[in-house]
């Protein structure tokens, strides 16, 4: 099978690139588009470090053949930071000491973004369930859960008209 031109809407911008046969979404984001926030951990769908949002849903990009999502909207951590401003999730991760080595952080933040999009007032159990597919090899789970709860609180507070 020859290489093909694939088009995606990445962080709101249409991007076209040449994809080798069988190339994963993760490989294309990192190697063709230079978006390296999503990390290659297990490459087997088991660690969540490669999580990006496809049409708003968290996906393990290491498992997604890029041609199967041609034309889709993809959001990566780079898109969360658009404009140079940290959002509530990112700033809460910093303030709550939820990053250690940082290898899992991109995937954790993308899962949190998807959760807060569909549920602005999650319970702690909701947060724990949302991150259950993401491994933190530094075992910093407690601060990560606290950070996501704090991000939800900040986002709700910001949404209240003053
Ligand atoms: S690198 Fe994709 S789930 Fe581990
Ligand atoms: S902060 Fe190191 S893997 Fe999670």
């Amino acid at each position: 099978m020859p290489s093909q031109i694939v088009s995606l809407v990445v962080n709101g911008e249409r991007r076209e690139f040449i994809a080798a046969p069988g190339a994963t979404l993760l490989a294309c984001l990192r190697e063709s588009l230079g978006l390296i926030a999503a990390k290659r951990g297990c490459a087997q769908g088991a660690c969540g470090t490669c999580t990006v949002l496809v049409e708003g849903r968290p996906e393990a990009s290491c498992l997604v053949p890029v041609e199967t999502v041609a034309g889709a909207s993809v959001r990566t951590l780079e898109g969360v930071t658009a404009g140079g401003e940290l959002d509530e999730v990112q700033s809460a991760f910093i303030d709550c000491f939820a990053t250690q080595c940082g290898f899992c952080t991109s995937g954790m933040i993308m899962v949190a973004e998807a959760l807060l999009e569909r549920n602005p007032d999650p319970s702690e159990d909701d947060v724990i369930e949302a991150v259950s597919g993401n491994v933190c090899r530094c075992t910093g789970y407690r601060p990560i859960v606290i950070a996501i709860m704090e991000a939800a609180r900040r986002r709700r507070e910001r949404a209240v008209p003053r």
Side-chain angles (χ1 to χ4, degrees):
M1 194 164 67
S3 295
Q4 56 183 311
I5 297 175
V6 175
S7 170
L8 295 173
V9 178
V10 182
N11 299 326
E13 197 179 321
R14 184 161 294 281
R15 307 287 301 268
E16 283 192 347
F17 51 90
I18 296 172
T24 63
L25 176 58
L26 176 64
C28 293
L29 290 171
R30 292 181 59 87
E31 292 155 27
S32 301
L33 300 179
L35 298 170
I36 59 171
K39 301 288 185 285
R40 188 179 189 274
C42 66
Q44 297 179 351
C47 75
T49 61
C50 64
T51 302
V52 299
L53 306 188
V54 179
E55 301 294 349
R57 289 186 306 277
E59 296 279 357
S61 61
C62 70
L63 291 184
V64 178
V66 74
E67 68 268 16
T68 66
V69 292
S73 169
V74 175
R75 192 172 186 212
T76 70
L77 184 66
E78 288 90 345
V80 175
T81 324
E85 291 272 318
L86 299 183
D87 82 345
E88 295 88 354
V89 179
Q90 293 170 305
S91 57
F93 266 63
I94 293 171
D95 297 342
C96 299
F97 305 102
T99 66
Q100 294 177 68
C101 79
F103 199 76
C104 72
T105 305
S106 171
M108 291 287 187
I109 288 176
M110 298 318 293
V111 164
E113 297 286 350
L115 170 67
L116 299 189
E117 194 62 40
R118 67 175 187 276
N119 179 4
D121 191 7
S123 67
E124 198 169 296
D125 283 350
D126 293 333
V127 173
I128 290 168
E129 187 183 341
V131 300
S132 61
N134 289 57
V135 173
C136 176
R137 67 189 70 190
C138 301
T139 68
Y141 294 105
R142 190 68 201 143
I144 289 168
V145 171
I146 291 170
I148 297 172
M149 295 295 287
E150 172 63 11
R153 189 192 66 74
R154 291 180 187 183
R155 195 167 282 183
R156 288 194 306 276
E157 194 169 80
R158 197 194 61 179
V160 173
R162 293 172 195 278

